[in-house]
Amino acid sequence: MTKLRLAIVGAGPAGIYAADILLKAERKFDVSIDLFDQLPAPYGLVRYGVAPDHPRIKGIINALRDVLDRGDIRIFGNVRFGEDITLADLKKHYNAVIFATGAIRDADLDIPGIDAEGSFGAADFVSWYDGHPDFPREWPLDAASVAVLGNGNVALDVARILAKHADDLLPTEIPANVYDGLKRSPVTDVHVFGRRGPAQVKFTPLELRELGELRDVDMVVYDEDFDYDEASKAAIASNKQVMVIDRVLQAWRQRPSVNNAGGEASRRLHLHFYARPVEIKTDADGRAAALVYERTRPDSSGGVEGTGEFREVAVGQVYRAVGYFGSPLKDVPFDKRHGVIPNHEGQVLQKGSNERVPGVYATGWIKRGPVGLIGHTKSDAMETVRHLINDQGSWWTPEDASEEAVPALLAERQVAWTDLAGWHRLDEHEVALGAPHERARIKVVDRDQMVQVSRGE
C-alpha cells in the first residue's frame, strides 16, 4: 500500500486539526505525519493568543491534546522553518507539506504618528501578556490614559487586560513578569475607539459582557452614539447577536458612570463609537500624547462617512487592534498585499501565474487570512485535506522517507528539538509551579528554560 509521509509546519489548532482530519479520512494509503513548530510548546494561538482570563477558550487545548496524545503524530518543536529545516529538506523526506503558520503580526494602520514612542501593535502586547518566549519580558506600562483602536475581540481583550486589576488575574496562568508589570501600571482610563456604530461592531456579546463584570472598573458609553439610523435598527431587530450587544450597551447607559456622571471606580473603560482615528499627536520627546479622531456617521450604503468634526483625547499610549497579518516563509509563495500564501482551496499557487505548486498546501489563517473563530479552522482543514488526498498523482517523491531521517538531520544540525514527551514534561512543570499558589499553572517564559525542561536537561 502507498504511504503518505506528510510534514505540517505549525502546531496550532490549524495544523493539529489538519493532521487529525487526514488520519480519520477515508483513503487508500497509510499516513505518517510530522508536526513542526518554531516554539518549544504546541497549540499556537490558543497558548499564545488567547487572554489568560479566558479559560473557556483555552479549554480547546484539551481537545487538541487528545489528538496528540493518541501517539500517531510526531512533534518537532523548537524547529524554525527556513533555518533549521528548509523546503528542500522537506522535499527530500516527505511526499507533501501543509503550512499552518497562522498570522501573528499586526496589520498596519497608516495614520500620522503611528510610529511614535508609546504606540504599539496589539499582537505584540498579546504576545507579552501570554508569555511568548520571543518577546521582551518587560512592557512599558507607564500611562494613566490609554487608547485602543479597533472594535473586534482582540481590541476588547487588550482593553480588558489593561483595565483589569492585576490581582484579579492571579488565578489564571498569567506569567509572573506580566503580573508584576500590570500591578505597577498607573492606568486610570482606557479608551476604545471604533469607526462604526454599536450595531456594526465585530466583537461577540460574551466579550462585551465581560467588560461590565470587571471589579472596580466603570464602563463609560456616550449617549450621542446611540441615535440609531434605520440600518442599525434593522440589524438589532433581525440579528440576535447584535440585539444582545445593544441590550448590554443600553443597560450600561443607565449606570451613573455613563458620560463621566459620577462613577466611583478607580478605573474607567470608555467605548467610543463613530470615531475614526486620524492622528497620534506627540510631545516634545516624540512620545504619544493624544489621539485625534474624526466623528463619523452612517452613510446610505451600510458604511460610515466623515462628518468633518475632529476631537482629541489625551493618551500616553496607543494600541492598534485592527487585525493580524501573515508572515512570509522562505521559498514559499506569498501574497504581500493580503498576508497569505496564495492558494485555491488550500492548494498553493505560484505568485503571479496562479499555477499550482505540487506537494505544497496551506490551511488556517495563512491560507484564508485572519478571519473567523477557531471553529472555522476545522472546515478549512477539511477542504485542504480533501485536495491533498485527491492529488496523490502530484505528490513529491522523497529520496529518504524513513522515520529516522529527520531526527538524524536535526541532530546533525545541532537543533535542540522538543517532542511530545517533552511537552508533557513542560506541561507538568508549569502546573506544579502554579499549585502552591492555587493557580492553574505558571508559564515558563524563557525559551532556553522551556527547552531544558522539555528535554529533561
Side-chain angles (χ1 to χ4, degrees):
M1 180 182 276
T2 304
K3 184 172 186 177
L4 168 63
R5 285 276 290 136
L6 176 68
I8 298 178
V9 179
I16 295 173
Y17 284 148
D20 187 42
I21 288 166
L22 176 59
L23 287 166
K24 292 176 177 176
E26 201 172 305
R27 48 190 163 74
K28 296 180 180 179
F29 49 82
D30 289 333
V31 174
S32 171
I33 300 175
D34 289 345
L35 270 175
F36 295 88
D37 202 282
Q38 66 170 343
L39 294 169
Y43 308 134
L45 203 62
V46 184
R47 180 173 165 95
Y48 290 115
V50 175
D53 57 346
H54 273 173
R56 182 185 63 83
I57 301 176
K58 284 189 176 291
I60 293 170
I61 282 180
N62 295 331
L64 301 176
R65 179 187 287 121
D66 289 344
V67 174
L68 296 182
D69 284 354
R70 285 200 313 254
D72 50 6
I73 303 167
R74 291 197 303 182
I75 295 181
F76 293 91
N78 200 41
V79 176
R80 297 180 186 274
F81 177 80
E83 297 178 27
D84 301 323
I85 197 162
T86 66
L87 186 62
D89 295 326
L90 297 182
K91 286 183 178 180
K92 287 180 182 177
H93 302 295
Y94 298 92
N95 299 102
V97 59
I98 297 176
F99 288 100
T101 51
I104 61 169
R105 289 192 296 137
D106 284 286
D108 292 331
L109 180 63
D110 187 16
I111 62 172
I114 196 66
D115 295 324
E117 185 179 347
S119 174
F120 306 99
D124 289 346
F125 183 59
V126 170
S127 292
W128 173 74
Y129 69 58
D130 266 331
H132 194 295
D134 296 337
F135 284 77
R137 301 286 83 82
E138 303 298 320
W139 192 273
L141 292 164
D142 54 8
S145 183
V146 178
V148 179
L149 313 182
N151 261 175
N153 282 343
V154 175
L156 292 198
D157 277 350
V158 168
R160 188 182 68 256
I161 294 296
L162 286 167
K164 197 169 188 172
H165 290 274
D167 286 353
D168 295 336
L169 287 164
L170 272 178
T172 74
E173 60 180 42
I174 187 170
N177 65 296
V178 177
Y179 168 77
D180 292 341
L182 291 171
K183 184 72 173 175
R184 294 191 297 267
S185 171
V187 71
T188 59
D189 291 84
V190 178
H191 298 266
V192 181
F193 295 89
R195 62 186 181 86
R196 299 198 289 179
Q200 290 79 40
V201 294
K202 296 296 185 182
F203 44 72
T204 56
L206 179 61
E207 288 272 353
L208 180 67
R209 196 180 289 119
E210 284 179 334
L211 295 183
E213 298 169 355
L214 298 180
R215 179 183 64 86
D216 191 34
V217 178
D218 276 335
M219 292 305 305
V220 183
V221 292
Y222 297 86
D223 287 338
E224 64 179 346
D225 292 336
F226 293 89
D227 184 14
Y228 287 143
D229 67 327
E230 292 306 313
S232 294
K233 292 176 183 176
I236 293 167
S238 62
N239 186 303
K240 186 176 180 180
Q241 180 163 302
V242 178
M243 179 186 69
V244 173
I245 287 172
D246 178 64
R247 190 178 297 158
V248 172
L249 293 171
Q250 296 294 348
W252 290 348
R253 291 181 70 190
Q254 309 310 314
R255 295 183 180 184
S257 57
V258 169
N259 299 322
N260 295 309
E264 297 180 355
S266 67
R267 294 179 177 181
R268 289 159 296 281
L269 206 163
H270 308 250
L271 297 182
H272 303 267
F273 300 103
Y274 296 115
R276 182 178 70 88
V278 295
E279 181 184 1
I280 298 171
K281 285 190 173 179
T282 57
D283 62 17
D285 297 321
R287 284 187 54 87
L291 178 78
V292 180
Y293 68 93
E294 181 184 16
R295 282 287 293 175
T296 63
R297 64 189 170 212
D299 61 18
S300 57
S301 58
V304 292
E305 60 187 10
T307 64
E309 178 189 351
F310 294 88
R311 299 180 184 178
E312 187 173 309
V313 176
V315 294
Q317 287 188 336
V318 179
Y319 294 81
R320 70 182 188 279
V322 295
Y324 286 92
F325 205 75
S327 300
L329 298 158
K330 188 176 180 182
D331 300 324
V332 180
F334 188 71
D335 181 341
K336 292 180 181 178
R337 182 181 174 192
H338 299 101
V340 297
I341 295 173
N343 70 91
H344 170 70
E345 297 182 348
Q347 297 170 305
V348 172
L349 306 175
Q350 292 286 2
K351 187 80 169 66
S353 70
N354 282 340
E355 290 183 14
R356 274 199 48 217
V357 181
V360 184
Y361 299 83
T363 192
W365 280 5
I366 199 66
K367 167 188 174 184
R368 71 179 189 272
V371 291
L373 303 174
I374 290 174
H376 292 96
T377 306
K378 269 190 180 176
S379 56
D380 205 31
M382 286 180 185
E383 181 180 70
T384 297
V385 167
R386 185 178 70 248
H387 281 297
L388 171 64
I389 292 171
N390 292 335
D391 291 346
Q392 185 172 348
S394 61
W395 292 349
W396 300 328
T397 304
E399 294 176 16
D400 182 357
S402 67
E403 300 278 336
E404 301 79 24
V406 169
L409 175 68
L410 294 175
E412 181 186 331
R413 292 178 180 172
Q414 298 183 314
V415 178
W417 81 89
T418 59
D419 57 16
L420 184 58
W423 160 242
H424 287 158
R425 279 190 287 270
L426 178 61
D427 184 36
E428 291 165 4
H429 179 76
E430 291 182 340
V431 171
L433 288 177
H437 309 282
E438 298 184 345
R439 296 176 58 185
R441 72 173 64 233
I442 294 179
K443 270 185 184 173
V444 176
V445 179
D446 181 77
R447 179 184 281 266
D448 290 341
Q449 188 181 353
M450 291 176 72
V451 172
Q452 288 168 2
V453 171
S454 297
R455 292 171 66 90
E457 296 173 351

